[in-house]
Amino acid sequence: MMQETQSIQKLKNVLEAALLTSSQPLALEEMLRLFEGKMERATLRMLLDELKSDWNERTLELVQIASGWRFQARLEYAKVLGRLSPEKPAKYSRAVLETLAIIAYKQPVTRGDIEEIRGVAVNQAVLRTLIERGWIDVIGHRDVPGRPSLFATTKNFLDDLNLRSLQELPAIDNLPQQEMEI
Amino acid sequence: MMQETQSIQKLKNVLEAALLTSSQPLALEEMLRLFEGKMERATLRMLLDELKSDWNERTLELVQIASGWRFQARLEYAKVLGRLSPEKPAKYSRAVLETLAIIAYKQPVTRGDIEEIRGVAVNQAVLRTLIERGWIDVIGHRDVPGRPSLFATTKNFLDDLNLRSLQELPAIDNLPQQEMEI
Amino acid sequence: MLPPVISARLHGEPIASLPQDLYIPPEALEVYLDAFEGPLDLLLYLIRKHNLDILDIRMADLTQQYMSYVDKMHAAKLELAADYLLMSAMLIEIKSRMLLPRPVELEQEDDPRAELVRRLLEYEAIKLVAQKIDALPQVGRELLVAQACFEHVAKVQLPTVEMEDLLVAWRSVLERAKHYTHHHISREELSVREHMSLILRRLQQDGMLEFTQIFVVSEGVQKMVTYFLALLELAREGLVKMTQQAAYSPIYVQASEHMA
């Protein structure tokens, strides 16, 4: 029994070392590679849950997001840690944020679709900003003249917003829908 | 006394969160910024020593290197963690490749020139990647306000691409014209 | 302070005064226009500001308010995006269709405002949810990800770049930068740019060179011509300065930055 507890601790240590040193989230498949196929998925999940609760009262938390698991500083440290990087993180313009929202909620969409909803032309730089951030990409082309690109959000977008799936996005206000039938 | 112990723990937590989430080693000066000048260097050193011994039996160790302090996985984990990164060569982002292409074809150019051609801001990290790779360097400054650096490709770049001179780069007008008009 | 001169016209009649809350100091107009993300955004603002019922818009009022805005933008000679003018036309069309008698049985779905209302509501929903997304904690902003280091046993393999990758990147740059599309880079030009960098590197090292030192006769005429073209281009781009004290005295070449 004693021995088993020890070996579980060892397995958790490997996971902890891997997760603390990986700058990318780790997917279950990647973590299984650590054990060279000698571990069941169910066991891995159990170990991750234990590791998560081991860190419950600590500075970082183990979270599951779209592309896997990662450690991140608890939100309460955000302000203090922000003092380390003097340059303010980029603030996105309304054009960028609204374009992102349209792609997130209506995907896949073309540039034309976005323009239709926003009522203004979409600057190419807006789309490029989002592509460079790794938040959207082109997943195909609509089969109409001009074959416009179809944009969708990426896993990276969900990861960066701490989400596991699109369903976890804030609810879009759909209330007017019924009332709309004037 | 009890209270003091608690507040020491809080300070150590801030340091731990900062060190675990920083991609670079942290110098003492930087860590002092976390406390907005309300900490003596001697206290900080003491806290770091304590934090180091708190982690003594754990997966990572807190080490002091030339440029500061950082957490790193204990050597015994190195082999296991190596399984996570198979020798799949990484790929440069589009931003890096395009920036490199612009410098290669339009050198000498400033960051502003690159931004104008690409139509988006050029992240400092992109230029740093290319400089660290030894493919571009600063060969002077344009004599305008701000004295922006002039970038050019290096011999190393030619060597790595197996070229004898820039002239051996594909010239864009040598492409079949039809293909271009897609 | 003098009352502002108003040159806006509504239905061909000059408007004596604008609604109080619509008044924007002329110098602030541009800033104000920037604050709107387009005609839908402006319409939403007007509707919400005047507490109009979005589901039963009084088209006459809304059109009037919108038009006075657009007129003010005109009066201030701001370059008005076509989107705003298109919306004016649409509002006027809806307004005029509402004046036409409608067959009773079609009344419900034939409300000329329906499409506008649908678009306004859809845009408003997006606008609100965009703010919510922005308020979520983000990696790089509020979220800091653990990234302690470890000694890679396997050497990190640096990304490789093939000539093909570079060409693809360059082509996509050219496709985007329209003003460059007619400006194809030829081999000769590349060679000139390479030599521009070579000259600047040498000037960086030596500070100043005598004109003839730039050329290495043994490298052949072709090479000398390239160096000469590179020097001319450097001078044209203001990157080097050439000086000569008197006729027939030596010409000196210096990087512009060292002149100061």
Side-chain angles (χ1 to χ4, degrees):
Chain A
M1 187 61 203
M2 173 83 176
Q3 221 173 353
E4 201 182 319
T5 320
Q6 265 183 2
S7 86
I8 285 182
Q9 189 56 49
K10 268 193 189 153
L11 297 173
K12 281 199 291 186
N13 281 348
V14 169
L15 285 173
E16 182 183 90
L19 286 159
L20 283 174
T21 54
S22 167
S23 54
Q24 299 296 316
L26 292 178
L28 288 184
E29 286 68 30
E30 289 174 286
M31 290 187 270
L32 287 174
R33 271 217 308 274
L34 285 170
F35 306 103
E36 295 186 309
K38 287 182 205 119
M39 184 179 288
E40 302 285 319
R41 280 176 91 89
T43 318
L44 179 59
R45 279 179 186 284
M46 187 206 70
L47 289 172
L48 285 168
D49 282 338
E50 278 197 29
L51 187 58
K52 188 183 163 85
S53 67
D54 290 349
W55 277 79
N56 256 350
E57 305 290 314
R58 312 208 42 191
T59 53
L60 306 192
E61 57 185 335
L62 181 58
V63 294
Q64 188 182 5
I65 32 103
S67 47
W69 294 70
R70 75 171 170 224
F71 273 112
Q72 62 193 29
R74 290 186 187 280
L75 266 181
E76 62 205 80
Y77 291 99
K79 211 177 133 220
V80 179
L81 299 189
R83 293 183 192 143
L84 280 180
S85 40
E87 68 268 36
K88 284 239 166 70
K91 224 176 140 22
Y92 289 122
S93 67
R94 273 185 59 195
V96 170
L97 288 169
E98 289 178 10
T99 301
L100 176 64
I102 292 169
I103 297 172
Y105 288 87
K106 310 264 170 182
Q107 59 189 295
V109 288
T110 63
R111 184 165 161 177
D113 299 334
I114 300 167
E115 293 182 337
E116 171 74 21
I117 294 175
R118 296 194 66 231
V120 277
V122 171
N123 195 319
Q124 189 63 35
V126 166
L127 290 168
R128 288 175 45 72
T129 299
L130 290 168
I131 289 173
E132 297 219 332
R133 177 74 201 248
W135 281 359
I136 65 167
D137 60 2
V138 174
I139 57 158
H141 298 268
R142 183 164 288 160
D143 200 14
V144 293
R147 297 184 31 81
S149 302
L150 282 167
F151 295 97
T153 53
T154 60
K155 260 191 178 180
N156 195 3
F157 162 70
L158 293 173
D159 289 347
D160 280 0
L161 269 77
N162 219 19
L163 305 172
R164 260 173 303 184
S165 79
L166 281 176
Q167 273 163 297
E168 292 185 358
L169 277 176
I172 191 162
D173 193 5
N174 268 332
L175 276 180
Q177 208 63 23
Q178 348 145 246
E179 287 171 70
M180 242 183 55
E181 279 144 40
I182 305 166
Chain B
M1 188 59 203
M2 175 83 176
Q3 222 174 353
E4 201 182 320
T5 320
Q6 265 182 1
S7 85
I8 285 182
Q9 188 55 50
K10 269 193 190 154
L11 297 173
K12 281 198 291 184
N13 282 348
V14 169
L15 286 173
E16 183 183 88
L19 286 159
L20 283 172
T21 56
S22 168
S23 57
Q24 302 292 322
L26 291 177
L28 289 182
E29 286 68 30
E30 290 175 285
M31 291 187 268
L32 287 174
R33 272 218 305 274
L34 286 169
F35 307 102
E36 294 186 311
K38 286 183 205 118
M39 185 178 287
E40 301 286 317
R41 279 176 91 90
T43 319
L44 178 59
R45 279 179 186 284
M46 186 206 72
L47 289 172
L48 285 168
D49 282 339
E50 278 197 29
L51 188 58
K52 188 182 163 84
S53 67
D54 291 347
W55 277 79
N56 255 349
E57 304 291 312
R58 310 207 45 187
T59 54
L60 308 191
E61 58 184 334
L62 183 58
V63 294
Q64 188 179 7
I65 49 162
S67 50
W69 294 69
R70 74 171 176 212
F71 272 112
Q72 63 187 35
R74 288 183 189 281
L75 259 180
E76 61 203 85
Y77 292 100
K79 206 174 139 225
V80 180
L81 298 188
R83 293 182 191 144
L84 278 181
S85 40
E87 284 81 70
K88 191 175 64 183
K91 267 188 91 74
Y92 283 129
S93 69
R94 204 170 133 176
V96 170
L97 283 174
E98 289 186 6
T99 302
L100 178 61
I102 291 168
I103 296 172
Y105 282 93
K106 300 292 288 181
Q107 61 188 283
V109 288
T110 64
R111 183 165 163 180
D113 298 335
I114 301 168
E115 291 181 341
E116 192 178 334
I117 296 175
R118 293 196 64 228
V120 280
V122 170
N123 196 318
Q124 187 63 41
V126 167
L127 291 167
R128 212 180 312 125
T129 301
L130 291 168
I131 291 173
E132 280 174 9
R133 184 69 195 259
W135 282 356
I136 65 166
D137 62 0
V138 175
I139 58 160
H141 299 268
R142 183 160 286 159
D143 196 18
V144 293
R147 297 178 31 82
S149 302
L150 283 165
F151 296 97
T153 54
T154 59
K155 255 189 86 148
N156 200 353
F157 163 74
L158 294 175
D159 291 346
D160 284 358
L161 266 79
N162 226 4
L163 303 170
R164 265 165 308 171
S165 82
L166 277 182
Q167 259 180 295
E168 292 185 3
L169 274 180
I172 198 87
D173 55 356
N174 280 22
L175 287 167
Q177 205 54 30
Q178 311 154 273
E179 221 188 306
M180 289 264 311
E181 277 161 33
I182 297 170
Chain C
M1 203 170 137
L2 291 172
V5 182
I6 292 167
S7 54
R9 281 167 185 274
L10 189 61
H11 310 306
E13 299 290 321
I15 321 172
S17 68
L18 283 169
Q20 202 56 50
D21 50 7
L22 260 181
Y23 175 68
I24 301 158
E27 65 275 11
L29 196 60
E30 203 156 347
V31 180
Y32 225 92
L33 184 57
D34 273 348
F36 291 112
E37 285 293 321
L40 287 175
D41 200 24
L42 173 55
L43 280 176
L44 268 178
Y45 166 81
L46 293 172
I47 289 168
R48 294 306 182 201
K49 171 132 192 135
H50 294 263
N51 264 327
L52 302 181
D53 180 0
I54 198 167
L55 298 174
D56 189 17
I57 300 169
R58 283 171 316 209
M59 287 309 296
D61 292 353
L62 185 65
T63 308
Q64 181 195 333
Q65 282 160 9
Y66 182 87
M67 295 303 285
S68 55
Y69 235 101
V70 168
D71 282 344
K72 261 190 86 70
M73 293 172 185
H74 259 315
K77 294 204 167 56
L78 287 178
E79 202 186 312
L80 210 52
D83 311 296
Y84 282 93
L85 300 176
L86 192 68
M87 181 57 76
S88 312
M90 192 179 173
L91 291 176
I92 292 167
E93 198 223 322
I94 296 174
K95 201 176 91 179
S96 54
R97 267 170 54 202
M98 289 190 68
L99 297 175
L100 297 176
R102 279 175 284 164
V104 185
E105 65 273 19
L106 286 178
E107 208 167 348
Q108 287 289 301
E109 54 268 38
D110 230 25
D111 190 324
R113 298 170 299 180
E115 174 61 13
L116 178 65
V117 170
R118 186 195 65 75
R119 289 187 61 187
L120 284 170
L121 288 173
E122 183 174 40
Y123 177 66
E124 189 171 45
I126 286 295
K127 192 177 142 174
L128 294 175
V129 91
Q131 289 165 9
K132 284 194 212 166
I133 288 180
D134 193 36
L136 293 177
Q138 266 173 35
V139 168
R141 222 174 52 185
E142 296 87 355
L143 294 180
L144 290 133
V145 177
Q147 42 190 339
C149 98
F150 75 96
E151 296 291 330
H152 288 262
V153 172
K155 267 253 182 256
V156 191
Q157 240 185 311
L158 290 169
T160 53
V161 171
E162 305 288 328
M163 231 149 68
E164 181 62 24
D165 300 327
L166 209 58
L167 183 61
V168 168
W170 179 239
R171 279 180 62 183
S172 81
V173 167
L174 287 185
E175 267 163 42
R176 273 200 320 276
K178 288 204 184 70
H179 50 291
Y180 280 106
T181 41
H182 56 273
H183 182 80
H184 294 154
I185 298 265
S186 68
R187 290 190 188 290
E188 290 67 37
E189 223 175 306
L190 262 177
S191 169
V192 169
R193 302 215 77 88
E194 178 170 38
H195 285 79
M196 286 165 70
S197 293
L198 286 174
I199 295 171
L200 276 184
R201 265 182 220 284
R202 279 183 63 194
L203 290 175
Q204 189 82 358
Q205 246 173 33
D206 304 343
M208 189 190 278
L209 287 173
E210 209 234 300
F211 184 73
T212 52
Q213 285 179 286
I214 304 269
F215 308 95
V216 185
V217 182
S218 59
E219 287 180 324
V221 178
Q222 185 68 44
K223 196 87 173 172
M224 285 174 68
V225 171
T226 310
Y227 267 119
F228 184 63
L229 289 175
L231 202 53
L232 289 181
E233 185 62 22
L234 283 170
R236 196 183 65 81
E237 292 184 17
L239 296 173
V240 300
K241 294 228 168 66
M242 289 186 256
T243 46
Q244 187 178 31
Q245 297 297 338
Y248 305 113
S249 71
I251 299 170
Y252 289 100
V253 184
Q254 220 180 338
S256 297
E257 54 170 321
H258 293 308
M259 304 285 287

